[in-house]
């Protein structure tokens, strides 16, 4: 294995490990999003020479292919098609018209306020066109946005990456040749977008038909289904980019085309559908965290490599502030014109959070823009990213009183404890069970409310022998099923009485049903002993 390949795989392992640590820290400090922990941990990793030397130089193309494309695919796959179809005018408005206005007004402001050429100002603005839904959710925390604003910001972030890439391409050509062609830019955008829509739709539809054919056949294999689904964004992105179309738009369209499949065939192979959803969610969570890990690494590296320049020159700082402020003002005016509500417009203005895609675009121009121009663009982009994440994190919780419905952990724990007691009572009523079987079943039921301690687990695993006789194992399985049935009835009653809200009740019931599948589904191959 080549060193670069080994380093890349090793870096992914480090990223996933850091994401796990970030999630643990976020569970301890619940008011801070795990994304911020991942960002800070990424920066700290960079300060350790051994890790910094091991992690390879950032490759924007590889990053877009391996991290961003599956994330956008999963994001669009989980987006209701009705939201997208009903937001087409809004999507065109925010990703095309508003983006173009920003790319006209912001460079002109930079030119009049600073000694910077129009092509460079245009490049800097184009780089900061893409917004990031994941970064927005991290900035929001428990703050609950109006659904209309949130949907607008989400659909904007799904499609405006492609706008930024096309505008950046036009800007770099302008910078190198000294000429800008509006006709060529418009033609390039239309070809890139339409071609991407066609490629994404065709490949996603083809994969959907293959999966459905396999499902309906007698030789369906769940692992093959999952592999086909997970490979879709990589194949779509690579194919679209190969034909010089927008890989970003292609994977978004592919996700939208694919998301209708589950709703229409979820009961054909429930086991496979559930496994697919769980694997996709797990990968999406890892990659979401990894985005901020890599963002932290690259921001720290940029600051370290440019520390002499940034201390002696402040043009980058003012440029970043101007880009962020002017872009936010244009967003405010645009949404005010559409919505007529100043507060909603302000939320929309600062809700355009930038993230790793923006930094990836900035780093992608290293071969086209060099010297102090490149340093200024990189540092200014860093300022924009940090401002766009910090400001909404501080301001939105103040101006928006609503919060995401939080779960009452104490109430849930109380219900789970009572639920387990109901199950134990059901076991104690089964006089035909031996004491040994009852004890085994009760121990397993108590895992549901975490009554069993770590010491109990060690003692049970190492110093006590489980059931070995087939008859005892059969009785145990039957007893657990009866107990879980009683627990479900209890939770249903709690929801009916209004003690538990339906969402929490469904979550607890889902856990009980999953426990049942672990007992009765032979494919799990679990040893009850």
């Amino acid at each position: 294995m080549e060193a670069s390949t080994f380093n890349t795989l090793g870096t992914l392992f480090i990223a996933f490990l850091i994401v796990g640590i970030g999630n643990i820290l976020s569970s301890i400090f619940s008011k801070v999003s795990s994304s911020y922990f991942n960002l800070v941990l990424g920066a700290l990793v960079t300060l350790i020479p051994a890790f910094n030397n091991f992690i390879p130089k950032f490759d924007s193309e590889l990053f877009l292919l391996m991290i961003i494309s599956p994330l956008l695919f999963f994001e669009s796959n989980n987006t209701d098609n009705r939201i997208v179809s009903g937001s087409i005018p809004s999507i065109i408005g925010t990703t095309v018209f508003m983006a173009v206005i920003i790319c006209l007004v912001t460079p002109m402001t930079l030119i009049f306020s600073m000694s910077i050429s129009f092509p460079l100002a245009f490049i800097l603005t184009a780089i900061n066109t893409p917004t990031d839904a994941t970064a927005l959710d991290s900035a929001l925390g428990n703050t609950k946005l109006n659904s209309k604003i949130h949907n607008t910001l989400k659909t904007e972030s799904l499609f405006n990456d492609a706008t930024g890439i096309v505008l950046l391409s036009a800007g770099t050509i302008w910078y190198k040749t000294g000429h800008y062609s509006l006709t060529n830019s418009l033609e390039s955008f239309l070809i890139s977008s339409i071609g991407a829509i066609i490629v994404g739709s065709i490949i996603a539809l083809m994969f959907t038909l293959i999966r459905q054919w396999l499902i309906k056949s007698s030789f369906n294999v769940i692992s093959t289904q999952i592999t086909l689904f997970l490979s879709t964004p990589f194949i779509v992105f690579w194919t679209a980019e190969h034909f010089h179309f927008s890989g970003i738009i292609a994977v978004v369209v592919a996700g939208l085309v694919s998301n209708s499949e589950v709703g229409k065939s979820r009961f054909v192979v429930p086991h496979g559908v559930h496994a697919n959803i769980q694997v996709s969610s797990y990968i999406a969570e890892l990659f979401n965290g990894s985005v901020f890990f890599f963002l932290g690494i690259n921001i720290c590296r940029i600051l370290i490599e440019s520390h002499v320049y940034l201390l002696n020159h402040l043009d980058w700082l003012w440029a970043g502030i101007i880009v962020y402020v002017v872009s936010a003002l244009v967003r405010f005016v645009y949404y005010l014109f559409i919505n007529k509500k100043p507060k909603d417009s302000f939320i929309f203005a600062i809700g355009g959070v930038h993230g790793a895609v923006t930094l990836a675009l900035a780093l992608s121009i290293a071969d086209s823009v060099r010297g102090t121009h490149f340093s200024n663009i990189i540092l200014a982009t860093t300022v924009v990213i940090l401002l766009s994440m910090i400001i909404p994190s501080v301001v939105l919780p103040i101006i928006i009183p609503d919060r995401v419905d939080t779960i009452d952990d104490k109430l849930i724990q109380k219900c789970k404890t009572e639920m387990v007691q109901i199950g134990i009572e059901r076991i104690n009523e089964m006089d035909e069970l031996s004491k040994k079987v009852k004890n085994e079943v009760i121990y397993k039921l108590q895992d549901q409310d975490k009554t069993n301690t770590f010491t109990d687990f060690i003692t049970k695993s190492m110093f006590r022998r489980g059931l070995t006789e087939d008859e005892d194992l059969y009785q145990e399985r039957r007893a657990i099923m009866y107990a879980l049935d009683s627990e479900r009835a209890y939770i249903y009653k709690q929801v009916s009485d209004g003690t538990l809200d339906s969402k929490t009740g469904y979550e607890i019931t889902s856990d009980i049903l999953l426990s049942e599948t672990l007992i009765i589904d032979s494919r799990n191959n679990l040893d009850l002993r």
Side-chain angles (χ1 to χ4, degrees):
M1 184 183 292
E2 294 183 3
S4 58
T5 304
F6 176 77
N7 286 13
T8 300
L9 294 176
T11 300
L12 284 176
F13 175 77
I14 294 171
F16 296 158
L17 187 62
I18 291 297
V19 170
I21 296 172
N23 290 338
I24 293 174
L25 291 173
S26 181
S27 66
I28 298 173
F29 306 97
S30 57
K31 292 186 178 181
V32 182
S33 169
S34 60
S35 300
Y36 290 110
F37 284 113
N38 294 329
L39 190 147
V40 172
L41 289 171
L44 292 177
V45 164
T46 310
L47 298 177
I48 302 174
F51 284 111
N52 189 42
N53 294 332
F54 178 81
I55 297 173
K57 184 180 178 181
F58 185 78
D59 186 330
S60 58
E61 293 183 0
L62 185 63
F63 180 74
L64 290 174
L65 171 63
M66 298 302 298
I67 303 293
I68 298 301
S69 67
L71 274 180
L72 290 175
F73 177 77
F74 294 141
E75 184 75 26
S76 59
N77 188 251
N78 291 324
T79 301
D80 192 336
N81 278 336
R82 292 172 297 178
I83 294 177
V84 177
S85 60
S87 305
I88 291 178
S90 173
I91 292 172
I92 295 174
T94 55
T95 61
V96 179
F97 294 117
M98 187 182 73
V100 170
I101 294 171
I102 289 175
C103 282
L104 290 175
V105 175
T106 305
M108 291 176 64
T109 306
L110 286 169
I111 291 171
F112 285 117
S113 58
M114 304 177 65
S115 57
I116 183 172
S117 67
F118 205 118
L120 274 178
F122 189 87
I123 287 174
L124 178 58
T125 307
I127 286 171
N128 290 281
T129 297
T131 53
D132 190 332
T134 303
L136 171 63
D137 290 337
S138 299
L140 288 175
N142 290 326
T143 304
K144 186 177 182 179
L145 280 185
N146 174 293
S147 58
K148 182 179 180 181
I149 300 175
H150 190 269
N151 289 338
T152 301
L153 290 169
K154 184 176 181 179
T155 52
E156 177 196 9
S157 67
L158 285 176
F159 292 95
N160 66 2
D161 292 352
T163 306
I165 292 172
V166 171
L167 291 172
L168 178 60
S169 176
T172 52
I173 293 174
W174 186 5
Y175 175 80
K176 289 188 291 186
T177 64
H179 300 286
Y180 178 77
S181 173
L182 179 61
T183 304
N184 290 341
S185 297
L186 182 60
E187 180 182 352
S188 175
F189 178 76
L190 291 175
I191 293 175
S192 177
S193 301
I194 295 173
I197 292 172
I198 294 173
V199 169
S201 300
I202 291 175
I203 296 179
L205 182 60
M206 181 180 68
F207 273 45
T208 299
L209 294 176
I210 292 173
R211 286 195 298 269
Q212 287 301 307
W213 176 73
L214 287 172
I215 287 174
K216 302 296 192 285
S217 69
S218 59
F219 43 86
N220 178 48
V221 180
I222 292 176
S223 60
T224 303
Q225 292 282 345
I226 296 175
T227 302
L228 283 172
F229 180 77
L230 296 180
S231 63
T232 302
F234 304 106
I235 294 174
V236 169
F237 186 90
W238 183 86
T239 304
E241 291 291 327
H242 177 74
F243 290 105
H244 304 291
F245 301 140
S246 170
I248 298 295
I249 290 181
V251 294
V252 169
V253 170
L256 294 173
V257 171
S258 300
N259 75 358
S260 60
E261 180 185 7
V262 174
K264 296 177 180 177
S265 60
R266 67 180 67 184
F267 299 133
V268 180
V269 188
H271 191 79
V273 172
H274 182 264
N276 194 22
I277 292 172
Q278 293 302 311
V279 171
S280 301
S281 299
Y282 172 69
I283 293 175
E285 182 178 354
L286 279 181
F287 281 20
N288 271 327
S290 299
V291 164
F292 291 93
F293 170 73
F294 289 117
L295 182 62
I297 287 176
N298 285 285
I299 287 178
C300 189
R301 282 179 171 177
I302 289 168
L303 294 178
I304 292 173
E305 292 171 1
S306 306
H307 71 279
V308 175
Y309 179 83
L310 64 86
L311 291 175
N312 294 314
H313 304 82
L314 293 178
D315 288 351
W316 55 273
L317 176 61
W318 302 121
I321 293 174
I322 290 171
V323 169
Y324 178 77
V325 171
V326 174
S327 298
L329 286 173
V330 173
R331 293 175 64 89
F332 175 82
V333 174
Y334 174 84
Y335 202 76
L336 183 63
F337 179 77
I338 301 296
N339 189 261
K340 312 298 182 184
K341 297 179 180 179
K343 182 178 178 180
D344 288 353
S345 302
F346 178 74
I347 294 171
F348 176 79
I350 64 174
V353 181
H354 303 279
V357 174
T358 298
L359 189 62
L361 291 184
L363 293 170
S364 69
I365 64 170
D367 294 333
S368 302
V369 180
R370 297 180 181 275
T372 57
H373 287 167
F374 180 71
S375 299
N376 276 325
I377 287 176
I378 291 295
L379 292 170
T381 300
T382 303
V383 171
V384 174
I385 292 172
L386 293 176
L387 286 175
S388 72
M389 293 183 67
I390 294 171
I391 289 177
S393 296
V394 175
V395 176
L396 289 181
I398 297 174
I399 65 174
I400 302 177
D402 295 334
R403 295 289 182 271
V404 176
D405 295 333
T406 55
I407 298 175
D408 189 339
D409 293 329
K410 291 184 179 179
L411 175 61
I412 291 178
Q413 184 59 38
K414 176 177 176 292
C415 287
K416 282 189 174 183
T417 300
E418 293 175 355
M419 173 191 80
V420 170
Q421 289 304 313
I422 294 292
I424 293 174
E425 289 174 8
R426 182 71 177 88
I427 297 302
N428 289 328
E429 293 172 358
M430 300 176 69
D431 296 332
E432 68 274 20
L433 297 179
S434 67
K435 183 178 180 180
K436 181 168 62 173
V437 171
K438 284 185 178 182
N439 289 337
E440 285 292 325
V441 174
I442 290 173
Y443 175 83
K444 289 180 170 65
L445 292 177
Q446 287 175 332
D447 275 340
Q448 296 176 100
D449 67 342
K450 299 182 180 179
T451 299
N452 298 327
T453 64
F454 179 71
T455 304
D456 293 332
F457 171 77
I458 297 296
T459 303
K460 179 70 175 175
S461 300
M462 296 185 176
F463 303 107
R464 294 182 187 174
R465 189 178 182 185
L467 303 177
T468 57
E469 300 296 330
D470 289 341
E471 179 61 24
D472 288 341
L473 291 172
Y474 168 75
Q475 293 293 341
E476 181 189 27
R477 180 177 283 106
R478 188 169 68 90
I480 290 176
M481 292 300 296
Y482 277 124
L484 294 178
D485 185 61
S486 299
E487 291 179 356
R488 280 193 289 111
Y490 167 79
I491 294 299
Y492 177 78
K493 186 176 185 303
Q494 295 301 302
V495 174
S496 299
D497 294 344
T499 305
L500 279 179
D501 64 277
S502 58
K503 181 180 179 182
T504 304
Y506 284 142
E507 289 180 359
I508 297 175
T509 302
S510 176
D511 287 338
I512 297 174
L513 291 172
L514 283 173
S515 299
E516 291 186 20
T517 64
L518 294 176
I519 301 299
I520 64 177
D521 193 342
S522 60
R523 287 171 295 188
N524 290 311
N525 294 319
L526 290 180
D527 186 354
L528 289 177
R529 302 174 197 178

